[in-house]
Amino acid sequence: MVIFNPFDHVNKKDIKMRVAKLKKKNPKLSNEEICRLLIRKKSRWCAAAGAVTALPGAVPLLGTLVVIVGGTALDLTAMAFFLTEMILEVAAVYNRNLELTGTSREAVWVLVSSVGSSAAGRGFSKLTVAQLSGSTFIRLVEHALLALGIRATQKTILRVIPVIGMFIAGWVNYYTCKKVGAFVIKHYSENPCSDAWEGETIDVEVDVQNE
Protein backbone atom coordinates (compact mmCIF):
# COMPACT_ATOMS: atom_id res chain seq x y z
CA MET A 1 0.00 0.00 0.00
CA VAL A 2 1.25 3.46 -0.86
CA ILE A 3 1.75 5.56 2.27
CA PHE A 4 1.73 8.82 0.31
CA ASN A 5 -0.22 9.14 -2.91
CA PRO A 6 0.55 12.60 -4.36
CA PHE A 7 -2.56 12.49 -6.54
CA ASP A 8 -4.67 12.62 -3.38
CA HIS A 9 -3.05 15.82 -2.18
CA VAL A 10 -2.75 18.12 -5.19
CA ASN A 11 -5.36 20.87 -5.39
CA LYS A 12 -6.74 20.68 -8.91
CA LYS A 13 -8.79 23.85 -8.47
CA ASP A 14 -5.66 25.82 -7.60
CA ILE A 15 -3.83 24.30 -10.56
CA LYS A 16 -6.54 25.39 -12.99
CA MET A 17 -6.59 28.91 -11.54
CA ARG A 18 -2.80 29.16 -11.63
CA VAL A 19 -2.61 28.06 -15.26
CA ALA A 20 -5.47 30.34 -16.33
CA LYS A 21 -3.81 33.31 -14.62
CA LEU A 22 -0.45 32.58 -16.27
CA LYS A 23 -2.06 32.27 -19.72
CA LYS A 24 -3.92 35.54 -19.22
CA LYS A 25 -0.74 37.29 -18.11
CA ASN A 26 1.23 35.95 -21.11
CA PRO A 27 -1.25 35.86 -24.02
CA LYS A 28 1.48 35.83 -26.68
CA LEU A 29 3.27 32.77 -25.33
CA SER A 30 2.67 29.33 -26.81
CA ASN A 31 1.53 26.39 -24.68
CA GLU A 32 5.08 25.04 -24.63
CA GLU A 33 6.47 28.36 -23.45
CA ILE A 34 3.85 28.55 -20.70
CA CYS A 35 4.80 25.02 -19.64
CA ARG A 36 8.48 25.90 -19.48
CA LEU A 37 7.68 28.77 -17.12
CA LEU A 38 5.79 26.34 -14.86
CA ILE A 39 8.55 23.73 -15.04
CA ARG A 40 11.23 26.30 -14.23
CA LYS A 41 9.35 27.32 -11.10
CA LYS A 42 8.75 23.72 -10.03
CA SER A 43 12.42 22.89 -10.62
CA ARG A 44 13.38 25.64 -8.19
CA TRP A 45 10.97 24.28 -5.59
CA CYS A 46 12.41 20.79 -6.05
CA ALA A 47 15.93 22.17 -5.68
CA ALA A 48 14.92 23.97 -2.50
CA ALA A 49 13.39 20.78 -1.10
CA GLY A 50 16.61 18.87 -1.76
CA ALA A 51 18.76 21.53 -0.12
CA VAL A 52 16.53 21.97 2.93
CA THR A 53 16.17 18.24 3.62
CA ALA A 54 19.97 17.87 3.40
CA LEU A 55 20.57 20.80 5.77
CA PRO A 56 20.83 18.69 8.97
CA GLY A 57 23.90 17.04 7.42
CA ALA A 58 25.88 20.07 8.52
CA VAL A 59 25.59 18.77 12.10
CA PRO A 60 28.05 15.89 12.78
CA LEU A 61 26.74 12.43 13.69
CA LEU A 62 23.15 13.29 14.72
CA GLY A 63 22.64 15.44 11.65
CA THR A 64 23.94 12.66 9.42
CA LEU A 65 21.45 10.21 10.91
CA VAL A 66 18.59 12.66 10.44
CA VAL A 67 19.51 13.17 6.78
CA ILE A 68 19.77 9.44 6.06
CA VAL A 69 16.55 8.44 7.83
CA GLY A 70 14.27 11.46 7.66
CA GLY A 71 15.76 13.75 5.04
CA THR A 72 15.58 11.24 2.22
CA ALA A 73 11.94 10.38 3.02
CA LEU A 74 10.94 14.05 3.15
CA ASP A 75 12.81 14.75 -0.07
CA LEU A 76 11.03 11.88 -1.82
CA THR A 77 7.64 13.09 -0.57
CA ALA A 78 8.29 16.65 -1.72
CA MET A 79 9.57 15.52 -5.12
CA ALA A 80 6.57 13.25 -5.68
CA PHE A 81 4.18 16.09 -4.84
CA PHE A 82 5.92 18.71 -6.99
CA LEU A 83 6.31 16.41 -10.00
CA THR A 84 2.66 15.33 -9.80
CA GLU A 85 1.52 18.93 -9.56
CA MET A 86 3.77 19.89 -12.47
CA ILE A 87 2.37 17.13 -14.69
CA LEU A 88 -1.21 18.22 -13.98
CA GLU A 89 -0.26 21.86 -14.63
CA VAL A 90 1.08 20.94 -18.06
CA ALA A 91 -2.04 18.85 -18.67
CA ALA A 92 -4.16 21.90 -17.84
CA VAL A 93 -2.13 24.07 -20.21
CA TYR A 94 -2.98 21.60 -22.97
CA ASN A 95 -6.67 21.86 -22.05
CA ARG A 96 -7.10 18.58 -20.22
CA ASN A 97 -10.11 18.43 -17.89
CA LEU A 98 -8.49 17.73 -14.50
CA GLU A 99 -11.78 16.50 -13.05
CA LEU A 100 -11.94 13.50 -15.37
CA THR A 101 -10.65 10.14 -14.18
CA GLY A 102 -8.97 9.63 -17.52
CA THR A 103 -6.82 12.70 -16.98
CA SER A 104 -5.46 11.25 -13.75
CA ARG A 105 -4.77 7.91 -15.44
CA GLU A 106 -2.89 9.67 -18.20
CA ALA A 107 -0.91 11.69 -15.64
CA VAL A 108 0.09 8.50 -13.81
CA TRP A 109 1.33 6.95 -17.06
CA VAL A 110 3.34 10.11 -17.77
CA LEU A 111 4.81 10.07 -14.24
CA VAL A 112 5.73 6.39 -14.42
CA SER A 113 7.29 6.76 -17.86
CA SER A 114 9.15 9.98 -17.07
CA VAL A 115 10.87 8.66 -13.94
CA GLY A 116 11.85 5.44 -15.67
CA SER A 117 9.81 2.96 -13.65
CA SER A 118 10.14 -0.63 -14.87
CA ALA A 119 6.35 -0.80 -15.14
CA ALA A 120 6.57 1.33 -18.27
CA GLY A 121 8.62 -1.41 -19.90
CA ARG A 122 6.62 -4.44 -18.79
CA GLY A 123 3.60 -4.21 -21.04
CA PHE A 124 1.98 -1.24 -19.34
CA SER A 125 0.98 0.56 -22.50
CA LYS A 126 -1.18 3.65 -22.61
CA LEU A 127 -4.20 1.47 -23.36
CA THR A 128 -3.56 -0.73 -20.32
CA VAL A 129 -3.16 2.21 -17.95
CA ALA A 130 -6.26 3.87 -19.39
CA GLN A 131 -8.30 0.89 -18.20
CA LEU A 132 -6.80 0.35 -14.77
CA SER A 133 -9.11 0.04 -11.78
CA GLY A 134 -8.64 2.13 -8.66
CA SER A 135 -6.55 -0.37 -6.69
CA THR A 136 -4.22 -1.10 -9.59
CA PHE A 137 -3.96 2.62 -10.27
CA ILE A 138 -2.55 3.04 -6.75
CA ARG A 139 -0.07 0.22 -7.31
CA LEU A 140 1.18 1.92 -10.45
CA VAL A 141 1.71 5.13 -8.49
CA GLU A 142 3.78 2.99 -6.13
CA HIS A 143 5.99 1.98 -9.06
CA ALA A 144 6.71 5.64 -9.79
CA LEU A 145 7.46 6.39 -6.13
CA LEU A 146 9.76 3.37 -5.99
CA ALA A 147 11.70 4.67 -9.00
CA LEU A 148 12.01 8.07 -7.33
CA GLY A 149 13.00 6.40 -4.06
CA ILE A 150 15.85 4.51 -5.72
CA ARG A 151 17.17 7.78 -7.08
CA ALA A 152 16.90 9.37 -3.64
CA THR A 153 18.78 6.45 -2.09
CA GLN A 154 21.53 6.69 -4.68
CA LYS A 155 22.28 10.28 -3.68
CA THR A 156 21.97 9.73 0.10
CA ILE A 157 25.73 9.33 0.56
CA LEU A 158 26.24 12.71 -1.10
CA ARG A 159 23.57 14.41 1.01
CA VAL A 160 25.48 13.79 4.25
CA ILE A 161 28.52 15.82 3.14
CA PRO A 162 28.33 19.07 5.18
CA VAL A 163 27.28 22.11 3.11
CA ILE A 164 28.34 20.53 -0.21
CA GLY A 165 25.62 17.91 0.26
CA MET A 166 22.97 20.64 0.23
CA PHE A 167 24.10 21.95 -3.14
CA ILE A 168 24.40 18.46 -4.63
CA ALA A 169 20.93 17.42 -3.41
CA GLY A 170 19.44 20.65 -4.72
CA TRP A 171 21.11 20.31 -8.12
CA VAL A 172 20.05 16.66 -8.53
CA ASN A 173 16.43 17.56 -7.76
CA TYR A 174 16.54 20.52 -10.14
CA TYR A 175 17.95 18.38 -12.95
CA THR A 176 15.43 15.59 -12.32
CA CYS A 177 12.49 17.99 -12.44
CA LYS A 178 13.71 19.62 -15.65
CA LYS A 179 14.24 16.23 -17.28
CA VAL A 180 10.79 15.00 -16.27
CA GLY A 181 9.32 18.29 -17.45
CA ALA A 182 10.80 17.87 -20.93
CA PHE A 183 9.19 14.42 -21.21
CA VAL A 184 5.85 15.78 -19.98
CA ILE A 185 5.78 18.59 -22.53
CA LYS A 186 6.64 16.16 -25.32
CA HIS A 187 3.81 13.83 -24.32
CA TYR A 188 1.04 16.41 -24.06
CA SER A 189 2.12 18.42 -27.11
CA GLU A 190 2.14 15.28 -29.25
CA ASN A 191 -1.10 13.84 -27.81
CA PRO A 192 -3.76 16.57 -27.96
CA CYS A 193 -6.65 14.12 -27.67
CA SER A 194 -7.45 12.67 -24.22
CA ASP A 195 -10.45 10.51 -25.17
CA ALA A 196 -8.34 7.34 -25.19
CA TRP A 197 -7.92 7.58 -21.40
CA GLU A 198 -11.64 7.26 -20.70
CA GLY A 199 -13.34 3.89 -20.70
CA GLU A 200 -14.09 0.70 -18.80
CA THR A 201 -11.66 -0.33 -16.08
CA ILE A 202 -9.83 -3.62 -15.70
CA ASP A 203 -7.78 -5.21 -12.94
CA VAL A 204 -4.12 -5.93 -13.68
CA GLU A 205 -1.63 -7.54 -11.33
CA VAL A 206 1.23 -5.15 -10.59
CA ASP A 207 4.30 -6.46 -8.77
CA VAL A 208 6.51 -3.77 -7.35
CA GLN A 209 10.12 -4.83 -7.76
CA ASN A 210 13.46 -3.08 -7.56
CA GLU A 211 14.28 -1.25 -10.76
Side-chain angles (χ1 to χ4, degrees):
M1 179 64 66
V2 177
I3 297 177
F4 173 75
N5 179 5
F7 286 90
D8 288 339
H9 298 277
V10 295
N11 190 318
K12 295 179 180 179
K13 183 177 180 180
D14 284 351
I15 289 176
K16 289 187 289 185
M17 291 177 60
R18 190 157 56 243
V19 169
K21 183 178 180 180
L22 191 57
K23 280 188 170 183
K24 184 176 181 180
K25 185 179 179 180
N26 302 277
K28 295 183 178 181
L29 295 184
S30 65
N31 284 342
E32 181 175 339
E33 290 171 325
I34 293 291
C35 289
R36 294 198 182 283
L37 290 177
L38 292 166
I39 292 169
R40 187 181 306 134
K41 184 175 182 179
K42 276 297 183 291
S43 297
R44 291 170 181 168
W45 277 106
C46 287
V52 170
T53 54
L55 182 60
V59 181
L61 299 179
L62 180 60
T64 299
L65 180 62
V66 170
V67 169
I68 293 176
V69 177
T72 299
L74 289 175
D75 184 34
L76 171 60
T77 300
M79 281 290 287
F81 176 81
F82 289 137
L83 290 180
T84 299
E85 196 174 54
M86 180 185 70
I87 290 172
L88 291 176
E89 285 175 344
V90 174
V93 170
Y94 283 95
N95 302 313
R96 294 294 201 270
N97 184 344
L98 301 187
E99 303 304 324
L100 295 178
T101 301
T103 300
S104 294
R105 292 174 185 161
E106 181 181 22
V108 168
W109 185 87
V110 172
L111 176 62
V112 170
S113 300
S114 63
V115 299
S117 171
S118 62
R122 288 207 300 268
F124 279 83
S125 64
K126 295 180 183 180
L127 177 61
T128 304
V129 177
Q131 297 178 318
L132 294 180
S133 65
S135 59
T136 311
F137 175 91
I138 295 300
R139 294 289 288 171
L140 198 55
V141 172
E142 190 172 29
H143 268 283
L145 296 184
L146 176 61
L148 279 175
I150 290 174
R151 284 158 177 72
T153 301
Q154 289 172 340
K155 67 179 179 181
T156 295
I157 188 63
L158 300 176
R159 294 167 60 88
V160 302
I161 303 174
V163 183
I164 296 178
M166 294 174 53
F167 290 100
I168 293 176
W171 181 85
V172 171
N173 280 11
Y174 182 88
Y175 173 79
T176 299
C177 187
K178 293 280 284 188
K179 185 176 180 181
V180 169
F183 179 92
V184 176
I185 289 178
K186 185 175 186 296
H187 169 79
Y188 285 102
S189 64
E190 294 179 355
N191 297 275
C193 180
S194 60
D195 293 344
W197 298 94
E198 295 292 337
E200 297 181 356
T201 61
I202 59 174
D203 286 305
V204 178
E205 183 66 25
V206 180
D207 295 321
V208 179
Q209 302 173 352
N210 291 335
E211 305 297 305

